[in-house]
Each structure stands twice: as structure tokens, then as C-alpha cells.
């Protein structure tokens, strides 16, 4: 989405904070008036400047909004904002309800009206009997108090005014005056009340109407639900719209869910829902979303609940493809604990699937929408979205119980560890047929080294006959806790992957991985280990041998090591992203490999920044990256962060890269010594990394001689073994795979508090 410019950017007045004329002419009030922040998608009053007194336009200080109104209505910037906001609203808001060819009872009651500019057509404190949809023109919302009139909002094409008062009978909190001549559609209260409640267009209209009230661009007074102030929209679904809000007294964030009117206006559902919601609000469990409040307003129901940060399990699976078995077991244990707690209160969830499971930064689980996702006794598949996870008996009209929830949990576990759903049909009828009659694919055949107990858990939970499943969450949890075959995923040896002209090995987050690539002129090996304390392995490596003209003679090599940062999920995503994109880096370009590497680093820096900007949970994520391209006996290298590249020539070990940490800067400034840096906090503070946004890439080249080795090492490896140990270990063997294994074991013995990774290339004596 294109960012909308503010008035000081359009006018070039330089009176914004830090602007070129802010010191001598003063800061423009529109640039600091936070009460209008977000109006017309602007910063402060940057796109509502005509309502702010004291602005500077055309080198003249303006008066009050009323005094400058005539000039502002002819301003090019004002007309541009009107055009931009009007086109947005027409596409997305209420004029879609009055399409000339639409057939809806709502349209039968709309009356075209014209309102002259300057006219006040809604009065503060009145209970209006007419609401308006603006077709052309704009109006101001003005609060009147003892100090006079104060603009608080702006409405233009596609917006509505007065409708909430029409719906609820509440008095208006402000005046509404036509800023320009208005053409609008009016609907009067008696006509509005005669629209049949079963009309689906009415449901959609009411939902859009109330959602418009909570638009971030609207006045604060309109964005309150009890003690909560709506600040942003989180998401929209088929049944609800979810907002981020803040409790005004406690100043704590909450999430507020507004049910869509096609559910809330069903009296039977609404009564059942509110009764059950009161029970759910009494639940207090660390793995169940906490519900704070339930209230009815605007002919619908609002639920205020705990505001969560993190990813849904569905998003996590999409990003990581599959979840390691020990982490999946941890998720299952937490979910079963939540289900057992709710079960003791007589509740079942009825909608367990990865989208309703939230994973926070350190992997605690929250089960959301507990009992809120569908009406009591209603089949979820009739409401869409979760068909793949439903138990077969639910399709036959049987009420949901613990066993059907456990079936859904079993399918969720299958999806979590395999990265795919067990049913491949697309048509709803075919999916139901497969769930009823097709055996569940054996997860042990989908995932190598899957613990037998996890395989048995999934198969038992997903039995077609409910009597053959676990009968309660307590039984399932106890069975899982007694399993003894869980632990870190075993060592993976992937073997080389053949790409066009290239043989590659790549790690992807396993607890322990080793790979070797023997070539004619050079040998490569890599190894990684999760260490003793980390829950995930955020280190990634890539090794490639290449020769486009003769695949048997590998004249080129690419080595890379990335160490993710910014939380387990963010670090893994960042490291995965750069390593996978390196697979497409050409090693035989017309230009120098250094130029290709530096261009790649800058592209990855932008990619990671963009990903973090789009997902607040990934804020701060990034990765180190050290790469080496070996062409015959020349090494071209690039580096960002604190992973390292070494050259071992004879018995002399030379560190090629410089750590881009605060400690390195302090050493160069002679504020600390290298010995002090070993324990100084600043060695953990990176000044440069992929994702920092202002990347300065280190790069260079050097020559190799026969029997030379180059080593790429993560900080979890080199920090805990001495240079003498590295030299001795590598010179005790000519096999880089043996040397890499020995270095990993040495780091594990000395510390093992971090992920440990090493990549080694040896130039053969026959070069």
C-alpha cells in the first residue's frame, strides 16, 4: 500500500519537527497534533490540516478552521486528500450497498438528498432520526464545549454519519457540518426499523456500519466500547472482526472481538453463546486465552480478551514446513493440559486446528476461541474453514465431545510434524468421504526417525471409531508423558542434492546434521549441533560444488554459514531465507564474485527488513552471514555479523573476517582490551547483520595453497575452543568431515550453551 503524504511533505514548508524552518518559523501545529493522528491515514493532523489553527500555508499563518475554511477548500492538497480518501472509501465501504443494479430491501428505503456547504445537518446531543451515506462531498465532525467548536473528524465519499445513533438511539457526541456541498443517501429511522431482520444485506450493512465506527481514522469518542479504546484492526474472519484495544484505566492492551451480525442476530445462538461465554470467562489456565469481558452493543456481541503476540501454529508450519518431534510433543502436552482443565468444567473446544493455536516467542501455547468458534451443537463444517480436522461422527450429526476434540488434535499433530494435511481432496464432499473411510497415512512413513510413541499417539487419536481413541484429555496426556523415546532428532546426513551443474548440501534446523561433499580438487564438510541449552537450532549452512561444463570436475565451491537472531522463530526464518536464496547465486558470472556477493547481501538485508516490518512479532529478527566462493585457488568472501572465516595455512591460523560487534569497535577505540572483550557485554551486541537496515558488507579475496583449509564457524563454536585446539584438531586429519565433527564435540565439551556450526574446505594436493 502506498504511503499517503502529509501536508508538510506536499507543501515543502519545512515546519515539521526537525524540518529546515522549524527553528526559525516554529513547528506547524498540524505536525504535532496527536489528537488527529490517523485521520485520513495521516500522521498527526498531516492530512487534516485545514481543521487545525495556526498552520503556515503559502508563507502566511492561518487562523482558526472557520476563518481559513474558504481558502482551504480550494487548496490543491485538500482536493488531493478528498480524491484519495473518496476513491478508497468508494471501493471498500458503503456505496457498494447502493449499486444501481443491486436488489436489496435496504435500497428501497434510501432517499437521495443534497446538503449545501456550511449547513449543520446533525446536532450534538440530539438523537438523530436520519443517517447518511455520503456519495459526493465532505463534512466535518465538531465537538462543542465551553471553549468553542473543535474539529474531531472528517468524512467524505463512501463514509457514513449518524447511523449509530439511528441504530442505538444514543445521542450524538458531536455536530456534523457540510464542509462542501453534499450529495448523500439518507435513511430514516422508521424505514430502517422496517427492514426485515432476516435480510442478509442488512447483516452485512450493520457489520460494516459498526466496523466503520471503530475505524482508526474516526474520533476517539466513537472508538470506545466500555472501558476499551479501539486502536487498530487485527483481522477479519467469516464470523467476527478482531481489534486491538487498550483498557483506558489500566493502560493494558487487549483484543476485542466483534461478532458479525448474521450470528449475533440469531436469538438462539446469541443466548447460548452468552451463557457459555460467561463460563469461559471464568477459565484461568496458562494455555487458554483469557476472556475478560462480554458485552452487547450495536445489536451484536463484543468479547474482550487477552492480547497475544506471536504466530499461529498454522503460520509457524507454513514458515518452517514441519516442526521437530520434541517440540511437537511439548505443544501436545500443553494443549492436552488446557483441554483437560476445560473438560473438568464441562467444556469441549469443537474447533481445534493450527489456526486456533498461538505460539509465543519461547514456545508457550495458547488455545484460542475456546468454545467461541461455533454455536453450541452446530457442526463446524457448515460454517467453513476447519473441515479437514473434524471427526467423522460429527458429519453424522453426533454432538462434539472429548473424543472428537482428540481426533482434531491428532490431525493437528499430523499436520505439525509432516507439514501437510492427511486428506488431499479439494471438494468438501470428497474430504468428508476420505475422513470417514480412508485410513490415515502412516506419519512414520512421512517423517524419518519419528519417535514411535508420537506415531502411535497420532494413529490412536485419529481412529475412525470414537471408542478406540483416547477417551479423555487426561488419558491422552498421561499416555504421552509415559513415552520414553523422545529426544533431539537424530543426526541427519542429507547427501548432496543435484541442481543444474551443482551439488549442494544444506541444513534446515535439525538438532544435529553432518554433510560431506568430496570433489576432484577440493573436499567440503559441514556439521551443526543444537547444543545443550537451546530449544531450536537457528544456525544454517550451505555447501556447493559446481562445474557447468563438466559435472565430474568441480572447479568452483560456495560455502555459507548463517546464525539467526531475534527470537527462535524470527532467527530461523531469517537464516533459512538467506541460505535458501543463496542456492540461486551464480558463481560463474561475467563480473567479479565479490560484486555478486555484495549485491546479494544488500538484497537480503532489504528482504529481512521488509519481513520484519510486515509482522510485528518478527521485529528485531536478523542473521549473521559469512560466505566464501572458491574459484580454483582464489577465495572471494563476504561477511556481516560475528560468524567467522579462518584460513589455516600449515600450522598458522589467520582470522579473515572482523566481528561487527560493539566490542570490536571498543577494542579499536582502545576502550577495552581483547582479553576484556572475552567477558564484556559488548561482544553480544551486533552493529551489523543481515536485517539491520543499513548494511555495510565486509568483503575481500585471498589465495589458497595446497593443503590449506578454510573454516567457517559460528560464535557458539569459536568462542569456546582455543585457536590451538582448532589448529591441532584440523591438522590431525586430512578429512574435513572428521575435523568438523571433532570441532563440534570440542565446543560441546567446553560449553554447548549455544548452537554450534562449522564448515571446512580443504584444497587437495593435486590442484
Amino acid at each position: 500500500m502506498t504511503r499517503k503524504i502529509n501536508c508538510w511533505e506536499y507543501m515543502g514548508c519545512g515546519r515539521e519537527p526537525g524540518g529546515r524552518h522549524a527553528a526559525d518559523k516554529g513547528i506547524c501545529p498540524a505536525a504535532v497534533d496527536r489528537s488527529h493522528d490517523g485521520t485520513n491515514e495521516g500522521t498527526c493532523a498531516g492530512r487534516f490540516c485545514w481543521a487545525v489553527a495556526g498552520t503556515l500555508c503559502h508563507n502566511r499563518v492561518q487562523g482558526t478552521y472557520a476563518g481559513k475554511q474558504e481558502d482551504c477548500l480550494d487548496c490543491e492538497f485538500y482536493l488531493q486528500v478528498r480524491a484519495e480518501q473518496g476513491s478508497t472509501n468508494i471501493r471498500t465501504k458503503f456505496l457498494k450497498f447502493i449499486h444501481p443494479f443491486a436488489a436489496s430491501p435496504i435500497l428501497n428505503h434510501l432517499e437521495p438528498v443534497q446538503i449545501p456547504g456550511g449547513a449543520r445537518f446533525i446536532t450534538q446531543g440530539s438523537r438523530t432520526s436520519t443517517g447518511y451515506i455520503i456519495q459526493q462531498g465532505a463534512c466535518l465532525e465538531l465537538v462543542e464545549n465551553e471553549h468553542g467548536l473543535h474539529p474531531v473528524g472528517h468524512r467524505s465519499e463512501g463514509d457514513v454519519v449518524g447511523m449509530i445513533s439511528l441504530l442505538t438511539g444514543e445521542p450524538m457526541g458531536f455536530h456534523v457540518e457540510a464542509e462542501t456541498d453534499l450529495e448523500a443517501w439518507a435513511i430514516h429511522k422508521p424505514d430502517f426499523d422496517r427492514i426485515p431482520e432476516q435480510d442478509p444485506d442488512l447483516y452485512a450493512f450493520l457489520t460494516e456500519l459498526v466496523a466503520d465506527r471503530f475505524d482508526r481514522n474516526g474520533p476517539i469518542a466513537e472508538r470506545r466500547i466500555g472501558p476499551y479504546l479501539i486502536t487498530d484492526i487485527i483481522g477479519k474472519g467469516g464470523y467476527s472482526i478482531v481489534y486491538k484495544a487498550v483498557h483506558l484505566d489500566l493502560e493494558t492492551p487487549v483484543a476485542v472481538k466483534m461478532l458479525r451480525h448474521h450470528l449475533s442476530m440469531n436469538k438462539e445462538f446469541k443466548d447460548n453463546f452468552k451463557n457459555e461465554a460467561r463460563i469461559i470467562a471464568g477459565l484461568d489456565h496458562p494455555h487458554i486465552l483469557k476472556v475478560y469481558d462480554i458485552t452487547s452493543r450495536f445489536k451484536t456481541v463484543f468479547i474482550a480478551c487477552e492480547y497475544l503476540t506471536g504466530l499461529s501454529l498454522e503460520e509457524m508450519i507454513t514458515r518452517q514446513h514441519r516442526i521437530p518431534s520434541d517440540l511437537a510433543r511439548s505443544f501436545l502436552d500443553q494443549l492436552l493440559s488446557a483441554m483437560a482443565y476445560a473438560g473438568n468444567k464441562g467444556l469441549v473446544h469443537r474447533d481445534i486446528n493450527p489456526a486456533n493455536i498461538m505460539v509465543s516467542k519461547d514456545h508457550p501455547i495458547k488455545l484460542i476461541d475456546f468454545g467461541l468458534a461455533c454455536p453450541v451443537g452446530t457442526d463446524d463444517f457448515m460454517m467453513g474453514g476447519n473441515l479437514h480436522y473434524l471427526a467423522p461422527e460429527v458429519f453424522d450429526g453426533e454432538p462434539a465431545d472429548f473424543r472428537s476434540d482428540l481426533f482434531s488434535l491428532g490431525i493437528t499433530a499430523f499436520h505439525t510434524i509432516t507439514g501437510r494435511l492427511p486428506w488431499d481432496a479439494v471438494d468438501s464432499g470428497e474430504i468428508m468421504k476420505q475422513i470417514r473411510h480412508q485410513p490415515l497415512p502412516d506419519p512414520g512413513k512421512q517423517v524419518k526417525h519419528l519417535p514411535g510413541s508420537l506415531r502411535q499417539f497420532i494413529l490412536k487419536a485419529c481412529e475412525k471409531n470414537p471408542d478406540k481413541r483416547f477417551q479423555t484429555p487426561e488419558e491422552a496426556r498421561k499416555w504421552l508423558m509415559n513415552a520414553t523415546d523422545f529426544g533431539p532428532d537424530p543426526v541427519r546426513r542429507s547427501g548432496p542434492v543435484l541442481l543444474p551443474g551443482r551439488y549442494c548440501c544444506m541444513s534446515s534446523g535439525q538438532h544435529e546434521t553432518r554433510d560431506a561433499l568430496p570433489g576432484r580438487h577440493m573436499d567440503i564438510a559441514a556439521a551443526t549441533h543444537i547444543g545443550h541449552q537451546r530449544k531450536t537450532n537457528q544456525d544454517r549452512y550451505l555447501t556447493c560444488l559446481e562445474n557447468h561444463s563438466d559435472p565430474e570436475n568441480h572447479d568452483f565451491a560456495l560455502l555459507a554459514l548463517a546464525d539467526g537472531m531475534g527470537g527462535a522463530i524470527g532467527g530461523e526464518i531469517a537464516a533459512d531465507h538467506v541460505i535458501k536464496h543463496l542456492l540461486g547465486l551464480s558463481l560463474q558470472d561475467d563480473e567479479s564474485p565479490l560484486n555478486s556477493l555484495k549485491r546479494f547481501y544488500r538484497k537480503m538485508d532489504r528482504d529481512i527488513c521488509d519481513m520484519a516490518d510486515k509482522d510485528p512479532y518478527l521485529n528485531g529478527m536478523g542473521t549473521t552471514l559469512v560466505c566464501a566462493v572458491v574459484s580454483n585457488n582464489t577465495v572471494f568472501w563476504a561477511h556481516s555479523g560475528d560468524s567467522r572465516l579462518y584460513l589455516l595455512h600449515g600450522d598458522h591460523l589467520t582470522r579473515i573476517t572482523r566481528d561487527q560487534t560493539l566490542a570490536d569497535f571498543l577494542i579499536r577505540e582502545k576502550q577495552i582490551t581483547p582479553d576484556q572483550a572475552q567477558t564484556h557485554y559488548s561482544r553480544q551486541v551486533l552493529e551489523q547483520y543481515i536485517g539491520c537496515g543499513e548494511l555495510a558488507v565486509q568483503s575481500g579475496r585471498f589465495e589458497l595453497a595446497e593443503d590449506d583449509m578454510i573454516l567457517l564457524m559460528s560464535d557458539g563454536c569459536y568462542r569456546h575452543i582455543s585457536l590451538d585446539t582448532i589448529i591441532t584438531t584440523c591438522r590431525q586429519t586430512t578429512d574435513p568431515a572428521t575435523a568438523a565433527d571433532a570441532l563440534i564435540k570440542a565446543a560441546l565439551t567446553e560449553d554447548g550453551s549455544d548452537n554450534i556450526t562449522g564448515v571446512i574446505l580443504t584444497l587437495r594436493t593435486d590442484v
Side-chain angles (χ1 to χ4, degrees):
M1 181 182 294
T2 304
R3 185 181 73 85
K4 304 294 179 64
I5 66 170
N6 296 290
C7 60
W8 53 86
E9 297 169 303
Y10 184 90
M11 297 294 186
C13 65
R15 287 188 62 198
E16 71 277 12
R20 66 184 187 281
H21 293 309
D24 57 313
K25 295 184 178 179
I27 294 175
C28 177
V32 292
D33 189 342
R34 287 287 176 189
S35 66
H36 296 304
D37 193 34
T39 299
N40 295 328
E41 300 178 70
T43 302
C44 294
R47 290 174 64 82
F48 192 34
C49 50
W50 53 91
V52 178
T55 55
L56 177 69
C57 297
H58 306 296
N59 292 317
R60 183 165 60 89
V61 176
Q62 307 290 309
T64 66
Y65 88 91
K68 65 179 187 173
Q69 188 172 31
E70 186 174 343
D71 289 340
C72 288
L73 294 185
D74 293 327
C75 172
E76 291 181 359
F77 178 68
Y78 169 81
L79 295 174
Q80 176 174 314
V81 172
R82 278 269 316 279
E84 290 174 345
Q85 297 307 113
S87 63
T88 299
N89 292 342
I90 287 171
R91 287 197 305 271
T92 61
K93 291 190 178 178
F94 298 98
L95 291 183
K96 64 187 177 184
F97 288 101
I98 53 174
H99 189 283
F101 302 106
S104 167
I106 292 177
L107 302 185
N108 298 332
H109 304 287
L110 292 176
E111 173 192 354
V113 296
Q114 294 186 339
I115 302 171
R120 179 176 295 174
F121 58 99
I122 294 179
T123 304
Q124 180 176 315
S126 67
R127 287 178 170 82
T128 182
S129 60
T130 304
Y132 303 86
I133 304 173
I134 301 173
Q135 182 171 8
Q136 187 172 344
C139 60
L140 281 173
E141 296 167 333
L142 303 157
V143 169
E144 183 174 3
N145 57 28
E146 65 271 19
H147 302 296
L149 292 172
H150 306 277
V152 295
H154 185 248
R155 298 289 177 175
S156 59
E157 286 89 345
D159 282 323
V160 297
V161 288
M163 287 288 189
I164 291 295
S165 182
L166 189 74
L167 176 66
T168 65
E170 297 176 359
M172 290 293 295
F174 44 80
H175 303 298
V176 183
E177 293 183 358
E179 191 174 50
T180 66
D181 290 343
L182 281 181
E183 294 181 12
W185 296 86
I187 185 167
H188 305 291
K189 186 169 178 56
D191 295 327
F192 187 85
D193 291 340
R194 282 196 293 269
I195 298 173
E197 286 195 349
Q198 66 271 22
D199 177 30
D201 282 332
L202 175 64
Y203 298 150
F205 184 83
L206 291 178
T207 296
E208 292 288 343
L209 186 64
V210 179
D212 178 74
R213 182 185 178 99
F214 300 134
D215 192 305
R216 179 174 176 265
N217 300 338
I220 288 177
E222 287 199 345
R223 292 188 276 124
R224 291 186 62 165
I225 288 289
Y228 308 108
L229 173 67
I230 304 295
T231 58
D232 285 293
I233 186 169
I234 295 174
K236 293 185 177 183
Y239 321 125
S240 64
I241 302 176
V242 184
Y243 296 94
K244 183 179 180 181
V246 62
H247 192 293
L248 291 171
D249 295 328
L250 302 178
E251 298 184 354
T252 54
V254 298
V256 174
K257 171 184 285 189
M258 180 186 82
L259 286 187
R260 290 187 179 273
H261 286 76
H262 74 280
L263 289 178
S264 65
M265 294 180 73
N266 179 316
K267 186 178 185 305
E268 182 180 0
F269 163 66
K270 188 174 181 179
D271 290 344
N272 287 335
F273 172 83
K274 291 176 72 174
N275 288 335
E276 188 166 353
R278 291 189 186 97
I279 299 173
I280 294 165
L283 298 181
D284 186 11
H285 188 274
H287 301 305
I288 296 177
L289 179 76
K290 180 64 178 174
V291 174
Y292 300 131
D293 199 7
I294 301 103
T295 186
S296 295
R297 291 286 304 279
F298 313 129
K299 294 187 182 294
T300 188
V301 178
F302 292 85
I303 306 147
C305 56
E306 181 181 5
Y307 177 72
L308 300 177
T309 59
L311 296 173
S312 70
L313 181 57
E314 182 179 55
E315 293 171 308
M316 190 176 180
I317 294 169
T318 299
R319 294 181 179 192
Q320 296 186 220
H321 180 58
R322 74 173 193 88
I323 308 303
S325 57
D326 60 326
L327 187 56
R329 199 276 287 267
S330 173
F331 289 173
L332 287 172
D333 180 70
Q334 296 174 65
L335 291 167
L336 287 166
S337 173
M339 293 164 64
Y341 172 85
N344 290 332
K345 306 284 186 179
L347 296 174
V348 293
H349 190 284
R350 298 190 301 276
D351 195 21
I352 291 176
N353 68 81
N356 279 336
I357 298 166
M358 291 294 294
V359 186
S360 62
K361 209 163 194 176
D362 296 319
H363 296 142
I365 287 289
K366 288 280 187 178
L367 189 53
I368 66 174
D369 278 358
F370 210 113
L372 305 182
C374 61
V376 176
T378 299
D379 296 333
D380 281 355
F381 71 91
M382 296 298 292
M383 305 178 72
N386 306 315
L387 182 62
H388 290 91
Y389 302 90
L390 293 182
E393 66 271 16
V394 175
F395 301 139
D396 299 324
E398 295 294 328
D401 60 15
F402 295 136
R403 299 171 302 176
S404 57
D405 265 6
L406 288 166
F407 182 94
S408 299
L409 183 66
I411 300 297
T412 297
F414 182 98
H415 191 180
T416 300
I417 61 154
T418 66
R420 58 179 290 269
L421 285 162
W423 326 115
D424 56 8
V426 177
D427 177 76
S428 297
E430 285 299 312
I431 294 172
M432 287 188 279
K433 184 178 178 181
Q434 288 185 353
I435 292 175
R436 278 193 177 106
H437 305 296
Q438 182 174 300
L440 186 81
D442 188 341
K445 295 181 179 179
Q446 308 281 326
V447 180
K448 292 182 179 180
H449 311 298
L450 181 69
S453 57
L454 184 53
R455 171 183 174 273
Q456 293 170 35
F457 176 90
I458 293 171
L459 293 175
K460 184 175 177 64
C462 296
E463 285 279 1
K464 306 295 184 188
N465 184 345
D467 293 334
K468 293 184 178 180
R469 299 176 202 151
F470 300 107
Q471 298 299 294
T472 65
E474 290 95 335
E475 178 192 350
R477 190 181 186 208
K478 186 178 295 183
W479 190 95
L480 199 60
M481 290 175 67
N482 289 332
T484 59
D485 58 345
F486 280 94
D489 288 350
V491 175
R492 180 186 70 90
R493 295 186 184 273
S494 64
V497 176
L498 178 61
L499 299 176
R502 178 178 290 183
Y503 293 88
C504 298
C505 291
M506 179 174 64
S507 69
S508 56
Q510 289 82 2
H511 284 69
E512 186 176 359
T513 309
R514 300 188 187 101
D515 282 303
L517 281 178
R520 181 175 179 180
H521 295 157
M522 55 189 78
D523 293 331
I524 307 175
T528 185
H529 195 286
I530 192 173
H532 298 314
Q533 297 182 18
R534 301 289 189 185
K535 294 181 179 179
T536 58
N537 191 346
Q538 298 179 59
D539 286 0
R540 299 290 188 271
Y541 64 70
L542 173 68
T543 61
C544 298
L545 285 169
E546 176 176 339
N547 184 307
H548 283 200
S549 59
D550 182 2
E552 295 300 320
N553 297 322
H554 303 291
D555 296 331
F556 293 82
L558 170 63
L559 318 178
L561 189 156
D563 181 356
M565 53 186 286
I569 296 174
E572 291 190 82
I573 292 171
D576 268 338
H577 185 82
V578 299
I579 290 297
K580 288 176 180 176
H581 279 73
L582 264 175
L583 281 170
L585 183 69
S586 174
L587 303 184
Q588 292 187 333
D589 211 335
D590 292 336
E591 63 178 344
S592 164
L594 288 181
N595 292 333
S596 297
L597 286 172
K598 287 189 283 188
R599 186 167 58 249
F600 175 82
Y601 272 64
R602 289 190 288 267
K603 170 66 166 58
M604 291 299 101
D605 186 52
R606 291 192 299 271
D607 283 1
I608 300 302
C609 287
D610 288 345
M611 292 163 67
D613 286 343
K614 292 174 183 176
D615 188 342
Y617 180 66
L618 300 179
N619 184 38
M621 83 167 181
T623 184
T624 71
L625 181 63
V626 56
C627 293
V629 174
V630 184
S631 175
N632 293 318
N633 62 341
T634 303
V635 179
F636 303 89
W637 61 270
H639 166 66
S640 179
D642 64 348
S643 298
R644 290 181 180 176
L645 170 65
Y646 291 93
L647 168 64
L648 180 60
H649 177 71
D651 291 331
H652 183 68
L653 186 67
T654 302
R655 187 172 125 202
I656 304 297
T657 55
R658 176 175 57 81
D659 294 346
Q660 294 176 313
T661 62
L662 178 59
D664 187 74
F665 171 79
L666 295 176
I667 291 170
R668 285 185 281 114
E669 293 294 311
K670 295 184 169 48
Q671 295 188 30
I672 61 174
T673 67
D675 287 341
Q676 290 172 328
Q678 297 303 311
T679 56
H680 199 265
Y681 78 92
S682 58
R683 73 173 187 162
Q684 304 287 349
V685 181
L686 286 180
E687 292 193 311
Q688 288 285 313
Y689 55 90
I690 305 291
C692 70
E694 298 179 354
L695 189 65
V697 185
Q698 287 185 26
S699 62
R701 59 184 291 174
F702 59 90
E703 301 299 314
L704 289 177
E706 63 180 38
D707 288 332
D708 278 357
M709 281 187 175
I710 59 173
L711 298 88
L712 282 60
M713 303 174 74
S714 67
D715 62 339
C717 187
Y718 68 72
R719 287 194 195 281
H720 306 296
I721 49 179
S722 67
L723 296 181
D724 287 341
T725 300
I726 296 174
I727 295 169
T728 302
T729 301
C730 291
R731 285 309 178 205
Q732 284 179 341
T733 177
T734 58
D735 177 22
T738 302
D741 276 352
L743 290 175
I744 298 296
K745 290 176 182 176
L748 283 169
T749 301
E750 292 297 324
D751 185 83
S753 60
D754 198 357
N755 304 149
I756 305 166
T757 304
V759 182
I760 301 177
L761 177 143
T762 300
L763 197 64
R764 300 270 289 273
T765 57
D766 56 355
V767 171

